[in-house]
Each structure stands twice: as structure tokens, then as C-alpha cells.
Amino acid sequence: MNQVAGLSAWVLVDVTTSEVVGHFDVTLADSTASLGRVIIDPKRRGQGYAHTLVNHAISLTRQLGASLLSLNVIVGNDTAIHVYEQAGFCKTDSNERPGVHKMTLRLAATR
């Protein structure tokens, strides 16, 4: 089993059917968190679950003390980009990987 320091994985379960609807993971290093593997069951897409997952990830990373949340999204994945932009993420000028947009969200401190 591989373990990555600061990595936690989360699933969204439909409480009426007990089926997994989607998942994501978060890696925390100091005050920066990375959101990854945001995946929604294809038969559940278009029902708002991505918004639920992303908003939970944002809340979680705030609770963990992160001040910045970043992610990578494939160029042309307009549906995902739209979800991230609605949550407040912005594309950065960073072009570390061809064909991938880096997006970031500054997190306000919780009180």
C-alpha cells in the first residue's frame, strides 16, 4: 500500500441507495492543498454532485488550515472548468504541463 503524507481521500454516498456517487482527494503540504481525482459516477453527472464535492473539498481544506487550494484540469474539460470557476477558482498563468490548466483558490481563514 502506498501512503502519501498529507493525503486524504473522500467519497460522496447517496444515503437513499448507499451507492458511491463520486470522490476526490486532497493533499496538504504546509498551508497549500491540492485537489485531485474529482470524479463523478457517469450515470450521476449533471445532477449537481460535482458542486457538492468541490464545496466540501473547499470547506475541508479551510478546516485543515490551508490558505491556498490548487488543482489541475484537462484543457477542454469545460464542464469541470465551469464547476471550479463557479466555486471561485481562477486559471493561473502557470503552464507546468501541456494540455492542463492549473487553477487556484485563495481560502479565507475560518474563525
Side-chain angles (χ1 to χ4, degrees):
M1 176 166 116
N2 282 339
Q3 292 184 351
V4 177
L7 174 69
S8 60
W10 300 82
V11 296
L12 176 64
V13 176
D14 182 329
V15 295
T16 60
T17 64
S18 298
E19 293 178 353
V20 173
V21 174
H23 66 82
F24 68 90
D25 65 47
V26 171
T27 305
L28 182 65
D30 299 320
S31 63
T32 301
S34 297
L35 177 61
R37 295 173 214 32
V38 178
I39 300 173
I40 303 297
D41 180 344
K43 65 183 178 250
R44 302 288 188 121
R45 291 182 182 160
Q47 299 175 36
Y49 290 115
H51 295 280
T52 300
L53 283 177
V54 170
N55 288 328
H56 183 71
I58 292 168
S59 177
L60 172 69
T61 53
R62 279 192 183 113
Q63 291 172 24
L64 294 172
S67 59
L68 180 71
L69 179 57
S70 67
L71 60 86
N72 291 317
V73 61
I74 302 296
V75 171
N77 188 348
D78 296 332
T79 302
I81 291 167
H82 178 72
V83 168
Y84 299 134
E85 287 176 338
Q86 282 192 319
F89 285 86
C90 297
K91 292 178 190 170
T92 68
D93 291 332
S94 172
N95 190 13
E96 297 169 4
R97 294 173 47 197
V100 175
H101 290 301
K102 181 173 184 173
M103 300 182 80
T104 60
L105 174 66
R106 293 260 172 225
L107 302 171
T110 58
R111 296 181 183 193

